[in-house]
Amino acid sequence: MEQKNAYTELTNRYDDVLTAQTWWSWIYMHIFWRVDDNKIARIVLDMIPDEFQGTILDLPVGTAVFTAEKYLRMQNAEITGLDYSPEMLEIAKRRAKEVGLKNLTLIRGDAGNLPFEDNRFDVVLSMNGFQAFPDKEQAFAEVFRVLKTGGLFCGCFYIKGENRIGDWIVRNVLDRKGLFLAPHYTKKQACEKLVSLFGCNVEATNFRSILTFKCTKP
């Protein structure tokens, strides 16, 4: 309940924070975090070709602020967006309607107990989600379960130990408000976790406190 309330309060500012559209959000992202979430989003989304045909799980879909335009170019893909926050889903629903996005189905659900059968998706995309999942180990297990053999798991999330200011913000603000949920992985721990699931089929790069990854299920 704490996590849901935290995101309820943030909903109206969420897109501004991520995309640095206002002066204060630009300072927050570029001065304190020293990252460009827009650039990171482009890098991650380029891991999935526009001409992709198949099934995609977007976990968590959030407000679809980064993905709506991408999905418009992916007319032959069947996309499911899952999020725990009904407020986020409502914004994503309005955004999809505004841009005329027809191939995105939105549902509410828990990353630790995905309501899908085994080997359901060709791609699982997870942008800025794992730092907020209560049980990260279970979420990884669920992603692996619903991903098809040969399927792609890609995305990004916060890792600790790469930016002292960012780590301070996480410990003293984001964790306390329930926007992020400890424990958090270091880069080494995150890479070891991905390798334990996907073996040698892992590519991972960090932009300070944000780890991007691309994995193929063996």
Side-chain angles (χ1 to χ4, degrees):
M1 184 64 66
E2 178 185 4
Q3 184 188 12
K4 177 177 180 292
N5 287 342
Y7 277 95
T8 299
E9 294 172 3
L10 180 65
T11 299
N12 292 331
R13 304 190 300 274
Y14 182 81
D15 289 356
D16 281 346
V17 171
L18 286 183
T19 59
Q21 294 176 350
T22 59
W23 66 268
W24 61 267
S25 59
W26 190 96
I27 290 174
Y28 175 73
M29 294 306 301
H30 290 264
I31 302 301
F32 295 116
W33 283 99
R34 301 176 68 186
V35 296
D36 183 344
D37 267 4
N38 295 287
K39 177 182 177 181
I40 292 172
R42 289 193 296 270
I43 290 171
V44 171
L45 292 176
D46 282 346
M47 296 176 184
I48 310 171
D50 289 351
E51 62 273 15
F52 173 81
Q53 300 183 35
T55 52
I56 299 175
L57 172 62
D58 187 344
L59 169 74
V61 68
T63 65
V65 63
F66 288 129
T67 52
E69 290 187 8
K70 172 74 173 183
Y71 292 159
L72 274 174
R73 301 193 296 271
M74 303 176 68
Q75 292 299 312
N76 295 315
E78 176 191 333
I79 305 162
T80 301
L82 182 143
D83 205 290
Y84 186 75
S85 165
E87 292 81 12
M88 295 288 188
L89 289 169
E90 184 59 33
I91 293 176
K93 180 180 179 181
R94 291 201 303 265
R95 175 168 277 125
K97 183 176 181 180
E98 288 170 0
V99 302
L101 186 57
K102 305 295 186 181
N103 58 336
L104 172 63
T105 300
L106 296 168
I107 63 173
R108 187 175 184 228
D110 181 358
N113 185 24
L114 295 175
F116 309 111
E117 66 273 20
D118 296 356
N119 307 304
R120 169 70 174 82
F121 296 97
D122 298 294
V123 172
V124 176
L125 170 68
S126 183
M127 296 175 63
N128 303 311
F130 268 82
Q131 64 260 17
F133 294 157
D135 189 337
K136 297 170 180 58
E137 293 290 305
Q138 182 62 23
F140 273 121
E142 281 291 273
V143 165
F144 193 83
R145 179 183 67 79
V146 302
L147 186 63
K148 293 180 181 178
T149 299
L152 173 67
F153 176 41
C154 61
C156 58
F157 58 83
Y158 162 75
I159 51 173
K160 65 182 180 181
E162 303 295 327
N163 178 353
R164 286 185 296 177
I165 297 176
D167 290 344
W168 187 94
I169 293 171
V170 170
R171 288 193 309 270
N172 294 282
V173 180
L174 301 179
D175 279 350
R176 291 184 178 183
K177 286 183 172 292
L179 299 171
F180 285 17
L181 292 174
H184 301 290
Y185 296 104
T186 63
K187 180 180 180 180
K188 181 174 183 292
Q189 291 168 338
C191 290
E192 287 176 347
K193 182 60 187 179
L194 292 172
V195 169
S196 74
L197 293 169
F198 297 93
C200 62
N201 305 310
V202 174
E203 300 174 23
T205 303
N206 69 297
F207 298 83
R208 296 191 182 275
S209 295
I210 304 300
L211 183 79
T212 64
F213 59 91
K214 180 180 182 181
C215 312
T216 303
K217 183 175 178 177

